[in-house]
Amino acid sequence: MVTVHVERTPRRFWPRSALAAIAGRGLGSVPPPMLVVAGIVSVQIGAALAKLLFPIAGALGVVTLRLVFAAAVLLVAWRPSLRMTRRAWLVVVAFGAVLGVMNAMFYEAISRVPLGVTVTIEFLGPLALALAGSRRWRDVLWALLAAGGVALLTNGGGHLSTVGLLFALGAATCWGCYILLSAKLGEHTSGGNGLAVAMGIGGLLILPLGVADAGTALVQPLALATGFGVALLSSVVPYSVELEALRRIPPRVFGVLMSLEPAVAALCGLVVLGQRLGLTQWLAICLVVGASVGATRTNSTATPES
């Protein structure tokens, strides 16, 4: 058996060439762990800000704004060629569809379930992918730890929307697919060309749903300004700092730090949205974070087995 380590590919979308210049200036003196944490906080504040916009534009309207803004920036920055092989087009279209659906499901989930709970469940996607096919007893332990955390999360600390939990599980599944497709995208496209086209496809896929959900609210100045802010917080800032951090720390360390995301999401939900979680739910989040840290450490140091 060959043990495969699956990196947690960040869900940040920005051209590396532009970010290299941004990240390299003013961030060199900041310790890499602080950069990663800053990126995580930025993403979760962006999600909280998006939720505040839901009463105006709805979940699908907000995700439409985020995807359209991201697609516009990427397409202008990369000006990609549409001349690709048939196989490359298949990968790009699939990647774009997963991007759109993943973001839509995540936003639908946080419209019904606290942010910390949603991100914790969504984290099961990359965690399950990292543990898939492993026969080591330690990985069984991490899987059981995560399962126990989810059981506590869904059965303790008050009623949670079943529909919201299903959306969160859908987002987790999409995140796993995103990780697998991102590797294929790198094989069949160069630079940010495939990503730019895929983001445009994701935006076009969700656009009709966003228009149907929000209507003319999408073009209100407040919605446009807030949507652009969500794009900045959820894409530009985190990808910039994470790019600089990855230049100075191993991917394994980066993956361990990224495992803090569910806990940070719960804190941002508390501070920004006033979402209070019960002691049982906090314990559940800690169990999932612990499982993620353990799986990241053991799988990243694994060697091929015959």
Side-chain angles (χ1 to χ4, degrees), residues 122-247:
E122 187 193 27
F123 226 69
L124 295 179
L127 178 59
L129 200 57
L131 297 176
S134 175
R135 298 177 182 175
R136 293 194 302 266
W137 68 267
R138 285 179 298 180
D139 287 334
V140 175
L141 173 63
W142 305 136
L144 291 174
L145 196 64
V150 172
L152 284 176
L153 198 63
T154 55
N155 293 299
H159 173 72
L160 294 174
S161 166
T162 301
V163 175
L165 293 175
L166 290 175
F167 273 123
L169 285 172
T173 303
C174 287
W175 194 358
C177 294
Y178 163 81
I179 292 173
L180 294 175
L181 285 170
S182 63
K184 294 293 183 182
L185 190 72
E187 293 175 5
H188 294 285
T189 62
S190 60
N193 295 323
L195 177 59
V197 177
M199 185 63 71
I201 291 172
L204 289 174
L205 177 66
I206 300 300
L207 181 60
L209 300 177
V211 171
D213 187 38
T216 57
L218 284 178
V219 295
Q220 289 184 12
L222 178 60
L224 291 172
T226 306
F228 185 68
V230 169
L232 289 177
L233 288 169
S234 300
S235 299
V236 180
V237 173
Y239 204 89
S240 298
V241 297
E242 287 169 5
L243 178 64
E244 176 63 19
L246 280 168
R247 292 176 57 239

Side-chain angles (χ1 to χ4, degrees), residues 6-278:
V6 180
E7 285 187 27
R8 296 249 173 66
T9 308
R11 294 158 295 165
R12 330 294 190 224
F13 315 114
W14 203 254
R16 287 182 177 269
S17 58
L19 285 174
I22 298 172
R25 298 173 183 174
L27 298 179
S29 60
V30 181
M34 290 183 62
L35 292 175
V36 177
V37 172
I40 293 172
V41 171
S42 181
V43 167
Q44 299 310 325
I45 291 178
L49 181 62
K51 184 175 175 65
L52 292 175
L53 188 58
F54 288 172
I56 298 175
L60 292 176
V62 176
V63 75
T64 297
L65 290 172
R66 175 182 171 178
L67 290 174
V68 168
F69 276 126
V73 171
L74 286 171
L75 290 170
V76 169
W78 284 103
R79 289 175 290 181
S81 170
L82 299 182
R83 293 183 178 180
M84 291 184 285
T85 65
R86 181 174 179 273
R87 185 179 294 272
W89 266 112
L90 289 174
V91 173
V92 168
V93 170
F95 192 76
V98 167
L99 281 179
V101 175
M102 177 176 69
N103 281 277
M105 285 193 169
F106 176 75
Y107 278 29
E108 287 287 358
I110 65 173
S111 71
R112 296 170 172 84
V113 176
L115 179 61
V117 175
T118 299
V119 173
T120 302
I121 294 176
E122 187 193 27
F123 226 69
L124 295 179
L127 178 59
L129 200 57
L131 297 176
S134 175
R135 298 177 182 175
R136 293 194 302 266
W137 68 267
R138 285 179 298 180
D139 287 334
V140 175
L141 173 63
W142 305 136
L144 291 174
L145 196 64
V150 172
L152 284 176
L153 198 63
T154 55
N155 293 299
H159 173 72
L160 294 174
S161 166
T162 301
V163 175
L165 293 175
L166 290 175
F167 273 123
L169 285 172
T173 303
C174 287
W175 194 358
C177 294
Y178 163 81
I179 292 173
L180 294 175
L181 285 170
S182 63
K184 294 293 183 182
L185 190 72
E187 293 175 5
H188 294 285
T189 62
S190 60
N193 295 323
L195 177 59
V197 177
M199 185 63 71
I201 291 172
L204 289 174
L205 177 66
I206 300 300
L207 181 60
L209 300 177
V211 171
D213 187 38
T216 57
L218 284 178
V219 295
Q220 289 184 12
L222 178 60
L224 291 172
T226 306
F228 185 68
V230 169
L232 289 177
L233 288 169
S234 300
S235 299
V236 180
V237 173
Y239 204 89
S240 298
V241 297
E242 287 169 5
L243 178 64
E244 176 63 19
L246 280 168
R247 292 176 57 239
R248 293 190 273 151
I249 58 175
R252 175 179 61 84
V253 177
F254 178 82
V256 170
L257 291 170
M258 286 294 294
S259 298
L260 298 173
E261 193 158 9
V264 174
L267 287 173
C268 288
L270 174 64
V271 174
V272 180
L273 302 172
Q275 296 175 337
R276 297 182 180 275
L277 301 181

